[in-house]
Amino acid sequence: EPEVTQTPSHQVTQMGQEVILRCVPISNHLYFYWYRQILGQKVEFLVSFYNNEISEKSEIFDDQFSVERPDGSNFTLKIRSTKLEDSAMYFCASSEGAITVDTQYFGPGTRLTVL
Amino acid sequence: GENVEQHPSTLSVQEGDSAVIKCTYSDSASNYFPWYKQELGKRPQLIIDIRSNVGEKKDQRIAVTLNKTAKHFSLHITETQPEDSAVYFCASGAAGNKLTFGGGTRVLVKP
């Protein structure tokens, strides 16, 4: 069964550094998402992406964040200047279509630790 | 925006007993309600979902009920087993597709 994959599994960075988190969505899926989960808390929506543009973003997704689909398979989340409070598990998800709300499948996550 | 409340935050049951987790949502436009199971350090795994045109859905030991009028939905796990121990999240979605998650329920099934 196809799965969403993410790299790296764990990223440690210094405050103020840029990080890029990578995701490979399921191949026939058209909608892509990033969520984050601070340790012990709920999963929070960051951004959704369709047809090479952002379709919705949350208030968490400020100017420090950006997303890109650089080629036909990868979907990336960039954090330009990391802060301590960006430490969290970041999950990528994808869904097939959105005529109706569609099932989202989650990747294994990237644990980001900002020191 | 949408707000999803989930109760209880922790639930301890004896193996073989049933577990019930309840969620309420605020946005009447929400029409999709998935449940995810998350084991420690792992991804959320979809276990069952329900759309607003259905009041109940069952898959083996797992069932979900939806009351659109009252804006609440529940997860029922029967004949619980130790491998059901995990954190369970409810979520709601609508046009635009983002999911809003509840706070999670840590379920412990005692053998």
Side-chain angles (χ1 to χ4, degrees):
Chain A
E1 186 176 323
E3 287 189 331
V4 177
T5 59
Q6 289 183 244
T7 54
S9 56
H10 192 187
Q11 174 92 47
V12 181
T13 190
Q14 295 290 325
M15 191 169 56
Q17 294 297 302
E18 175 183 287
V19 294
I20 297 176
L21 310 183
R22 291 183 166 80
C23 168
V24 178
I26 295 172
S27 64
N28 64 332
H29 285 189
L30 301 177
Y31 290 79
F32 315 119
Y33 315 84
W34 284 101
Y35 293 85
R36 79 170 186 192
Q37 185 178 32
I38 294 170
L39 188 63
Q41 297 187 23
K42 69 166 87 173
V43 177
E44 300 174 289
F45 169 77
L46 293 178
V47 65
S48 58
F49 191 86
Y50 169 71
N51 200 26
N52 282 321
E53 60 183 30
I54 290 173
S55 43
E56 188 175 4
K57 60 183 180 179
S58 72
E59 58 198 25
I60 301 169
F61 194 88
D62 62 21
D63 291 344
Q64 294 298 314
F65 291 87
S66 62
V67 289
E68 194 178 32
R69 186 145 164 87
D71 53 43
S73 59
N74 288 284
F75 178 51
T76 62
L77 174 69
K78 182 193 291 186
I79 309 175
R80 269 181 262 284
S81 178
T82 50
K83 309 184 193 71
L84 294 176
E85 54 265 36
D86 293 329
S87 294
M89 183 75 98
Y90 288 80
F91 291 104
C92 173
S94 69
S95 66
E96 190 172 351
I99 297 174
T100 59
V101 180
D102 210 348
T103 302
Q104 295 183 23
Y105 297 92
F106 282 71
T110 292
R111 180 168 299 285
L112 177 64
T113 302
V114 182
L115 303 175
Chain B
E2 172 72 297
N3 183 46
V4 178
E5 298 286 339
Q6 183 172 347
H7 300 280
S9 56
T10 59
L11 180 59
S12 182
V13 297
Q14 208 64 43
E15 183 178 356
D17 287 351
S18 295
V20 179
I21 304 170
K22 298 183 179 183
C23 288
T24 60
Y25 62 98
S26 61
D27 189 349
S28 55
S30 293
N31 57 11
Y32 174 64
F33 307 93
W35 286 89
Y36 287 86
K37 175 183 179 182
Q38 187 179 33
E39 296 174 4
L40 192 62
K42 302 280 184 67
R43 76 183 81 192
Q45 293 267 20
L46 180 75
I47 55 171
I48 195 166
D49 58 13
I50 191 168
R51 288 177 168 79
S52 60
N53 56 343
V54 174
E56 185 173 352
K57 184 176 177 181
K58 190 173 180 182
D59 183 4
Q60 298 183 349
R61 296 187 296 110
I62 294 172
V64 58
T65 59
L66 170 65
N67 182 329
K68 282 216 73 178
T69 304
K71 296 199 190 72
H72 65 70
F73 56 113
S74 301
L75 177 72
H76 304 251
I77 307 173
T78 58
E79 299 170 29
T80 52
Q81 299 166 5
E83 53 264 38
D84 294 330
S85 296
V87 179
Y88 291 80
F89 289 96
C90 64
S92 72
N97 279 318
K98 74 171 187 185
L99 293 178
T100 302
F101 283 79
T105 297
R106 184 172 301 279
V107 174
L108 175 63
V109 180
K110 295 181 286 187

